Amino acid sequence: MRAIGLSEVSAATLRKAHAVHPIAAVQTEYSLWTRNPEIAVLAACRELGAAFVAFSPLARAFLTGRLTDVSGLDAKDIRRPMPRFSAEHYPRNLALLPAFEALAREAGCTPAQLALAWLLAQGEDIVPIPGTTSLEHLHEDLAAADLKLPADAIARAGELINQRTVSGPRYPAQATQEVDTEEFAAG
């Protein structure tokens, strides 16, 4: 028998699937600005012995600090319809970056490295898969695994960018209805 992996599922769905066939891994969006897996999926993965693969660990380039103007995104760019990148929400999200970038400088790393180090600090069972089109950025991302950041820097990063500070939902309303993950209560 071979184990299978799942993508973007709730803890309940993961447990149901695992009861039928062992699940080897769950791939879900997880980063400082998308913390939904902390509600229940991470615990379910740990309970079942499934690896957790975090996609978009750099928040679709937001946490790199390099995407300051979304107006230049290609018309087919996946971020275009996402509320967090909209004219309403992106300026509010950009306001989070100066303090995050200052924390990265204080820690002696780049914002992308700080974001990845934060994610790696959430558990040895978490495997981030940052996407990149640049060899330079790949090397930068890989170096995050060797960082030894103080616990207070990791905690401060989590306090700066989280579900309470980020403006806008992850996906448009239609897409949200199609994603089977737990959501934080409004408020």
Side-chain angles (χ1 to χ4, degrees):
M1 232 186 235
R2 67 182 174 83
I4 58 172
L6 293 175
S7 179
E8 289 279 343
V9 297
S10 66
T13 299
L14 171 58
R15 286 186 181 96
K16 284 179 196 173
H18 190 78
V20 174
H21 191 83
I23 302 299
V26 172
Q27 180 176 320
T28 296
E29 185 174 358
Y30 187 35
S31 69
L32 283 161
W33 92 335
T34 298
R35 308 285 276 275
N36 302 62
E38 295 173 0
I39 300 169
V41 172
L42 280 173
C45 283
R46 290 171 177 148
E47 167 192 324
L48 301 172
F52 187 92
V53 180
F55 75 80
S56 295
L58 299 176
R60 304 180 191 279
F62 173 77
L63 294 170
T64 67
R66 297 180 188 111
L67 184 60
T68 56
D69 182 8
V70 294
S71 66
L73 292 176
D74 185 84
K76 294 181 182 180
D77 192 296
I78 191 171
R79 295 168 288 191
R80 278 265 182 210
M82 293 181 171
R84 291 180 179 175
F85 292 94
S86 70
E88 176 187 357
H89 296 289
Y90 205 63
R92 293 183 210 157
N93 290 326
L94 282 176
L96 301 172
L97 283 180
F100 184 70
E101 291 169 331
L103 179 58
R105 281 191 303 277
E106 180 184 317
C109 62
T110 67
Q113 289 172 328
L114 177 57
L116 290 169
W118 176 87
L119 189 59
L120 290 168
Q122 303 314 301
E124 292 182 12
D125 53 347
I126 297 173
V127 181
I129 53 170
T132 185
T133 57
S134 158
L135 188 57
E136 177 187 344
H137 294 161
L138 174 63
H139 290 297
E140 176 186 350
D141 293 347
L142 291 172
D146 296 325
L147 289 176
K148 304 291 184 235
L149 298 181
D152 75 302
I154 297 296
R156 286 171 46 209
E159 291 165 5
L160 285 170
I161 301 177
N162 60 62
Q163 72 280 2
R164 291 176 309 280
T165 62
V166 172
S167 181
R170 281 176 29 180
Y171 299 118
Q174 177 61 34
T176 299
Q177 295 171 359
E178 297 169 8
V179 175
D180 176 33
T181 57
E182 291 83 4
E183 295 290 332
F184 288 99

